[in-house]
Amino acid sequence: MKKLLYQFDTDALPSVFDNVVAHDGGADQVIPYGSISPQNVGGLVEGAIFTRAPRDKKNTAIFVGGSNLLAGEALYLAVQKKFFGNFRVSMMLDSNGANTTAAACVAWMSHGRSLQGMKAVILAGTGPVGQRAAVMLAQEGVRVSITGRQLDKTQATCDAIAQRFGVTVHAIAAPDLESRAAAVRDTQIIVATGASGVVLLEEEHWKGLSGLKLVADANATPPMGIAGVDIMDKGAQRHGAAVFGAIGFGALKLALHRACIARLFEQNDLRLDANEIYAIAKTMVG
Ligand code: NAP
C-alpha cells in the first residue's frame, strides 16, 4: 500500500523544501495543498481518515507547514479536531522548519552538557525558529530571553509561548546592533534566529564575554547573523565558546526531518510537534 503524505501549507505556494524532504523521508507520494486554513481543511481531513481500513491507516499522514507558525499551530489543532475514535492519521507540524531546525540546534548545544541554570538570549527570536528554540531551551532549565525590534510584538510572542507551552520567556526590545550587544552582555548562550542575511551581532560584541559558553546561528545565507561564526561550525571553540553554524547543525535538522516523516508511517496516531521532535533529536545527535 502506498504511503501518502498530505502536505497542508498555510502559504499560497506549498514549500518545495518540505515536499522533497517528505519524499526522502519515505513517503511514496506527497500531495501539496496551499492556502490551507482551519476554515477549509475539514473536507481534506475527512478524505484522509475515512478511506483506509484501521490496519492500513498508518499509510496516510498529514504534514502541516508554511511560513507562519501561529497559522500552522491553528491548522494543526483544527486537523486534530476532526479526528475521533480510530478515525485519525499521524501528523507533524513544522512551519518554516521551526521544530526540526530549533530541535537540531538545541540538541547540539545540550549534547554532553547540562544547560540547567544558564541564561540564553535568542536574537530575533520572534520568528518560527526562534520561538521553538526558546521553548526547547526553557524546557532544559535555561532562563530564556528573546529579542525583537519592537517590544509589543516580542512580548506578544512570549505570551503566546507561555500560553501554548507553559514556560516563561522574557522579551527584550533590541532594534539595532548596540542594543543587541547590550542584551547579550551577561549571558551564557547566544542563539541567532533572524531573517536570512541580517547581521544581528558583530564579532566584537561577543568575543570578549567571559561567561559565554555557547553560540549558535541559524542563518544559512551570508552574511552570518552573528559575525565570527562559520556556517560549518559544529562545536568549534571560538573566543572560549562552543560555536554552531547553520550548516553545522543543519545536517542533523535534515536527518531529523526525514526521520520524523518516516515515523509518521509507523502508526496512525502519532503527533510530532516541538516536544516530540526535540525528544527524537536528542536520540540522533552526536
Ligand atoms: P524569520 O521569521 O524570517 O525571521 C525571524 C525574525 O527576524 C523576525 O521575526 C524579525 O523579528 C527578525 N528580522 C527580520 N528582519 C530583520 C532586520 N532587518 N533586522 C533585525 N531583525 C530582523 O526567520 P525564521 O523562519 O524563524 O528562521 C530563522 C533563521 O533560520 C533564518 O535565517 C532561516 O533562513 C534559518 N533557517 C535555518 C535552517 C537550518 O537548517 N540551518 C532551517 C530553517 C531556517 P522582529 O520583526 O521581531 O524584529
Side-chain angles (χ1 to χ4, degrees), residues 17 67 95-98 101 123-131 147-150 153-154 157 174-175 180 192-200 217-221 245-247 249-251 253-254:
F17 183 101
S67 58
S95 298
N96 246 22
T101 306
L123 301 169
T126 52
V129 176
Q131 290 180 50
T147 76
R149 286 169 296 176
Q150 300 141 21
K153 177 185 170 189
T154 313
T157 303
R180 287 188 289 269
T193 58
S196 297
V198 175
V199 179
L200 296 168
D217 186 355
N219 172 24
T221 310
I247 305 296
F249 70 78
K253 178 259 178 319
L254 268 175

Side-chain angles (χ1 to χ4, degrees), residues 176-205:
D176 50 32
L177 284 168
E178 288 67 33
S179 52
R180 287 188 289 269
V184 301
R185 224 161 261 156
D186 178 32
T187 195
Q188 289 83 55
I189 303 171
I190 304 173
V191 181
T193 58
S196 297
V198 175
V199 179
L200 296 168
L201 207 61
E202 298 291 0
E203 189 167 2
E204 73 204 48
H205 293 143

